[in-house]
Amino acid sequence: MVRKTLARNQPEVGKFLRELRILAGLTQEQFASFLGVTYSTINRWENGHTRPMPLAMQKIEEIAKDMGEQGENLIVKYYLK
């Protein structure tokens, strides 16, 4: 069975990423390092200039789910309205 990741065409993806990163207590630099991207990539995602690729969204979804209830609440807030 193929799991569907978070929709990456959501207009609020930048807000979701920023809120998730802050909730995790990470700077943009730390979040970038964890995901294997650059600081400027995180900055562009959070500001809505670009969107994460599917592989990055899978990692981001894992981070949210690993955070337990707080992460799940963010997923519901931004993707299951």
Side-chain angles (χ1 to χ4, degrees):
M1 180 175 151
V2 176
R3 279 184 352 134
K4 189 173 185 179
T5 61
L6 297 175
R8 63 185 201 98
N9 59 351
Q10 294 288 333
E12 297 179 324
V13 71
K15 292 178 187 176
F16 168 74
L17 293 172
R18 179 176 286 121
E19 196 167 335
L20 177 67
R21 176 181 60 76
I22 290 169
L23 193 60
L26 299 172
T27 64
Q28 286 184 333
E29 293 87 356
Q30 292 167 328
F31 196 43
S33 177
F34 185 79
L35 293 173
V37 298
T38 64
Y39 156 80
S40 60
T41 297
I42 297 295
N43 189 275
R44 285 191 303 267
W45 290 349
E46 288 188 3
N47 289 313
H49 297 292
T50 61
R51 302 210 190 290
M53 299 299 289
L55 183 58
M57 283 306 296
Q58 287 176 345
K59 289 182 180 181
I60 291 163
E61 181 180 4
E62 289 172 20
I63 292 169
K65 288 183 176 182
D66 287 346
M67 293 175 71
E69 188 176 337
Q70 290 179 318
E72 292 291 337
N73 288 341
L74 280 180
I75 291 172
V76 168
K77 177 179 177 180
Y78 286 100
Y79 294 95
L80 302 178
K81 294 180 184 179

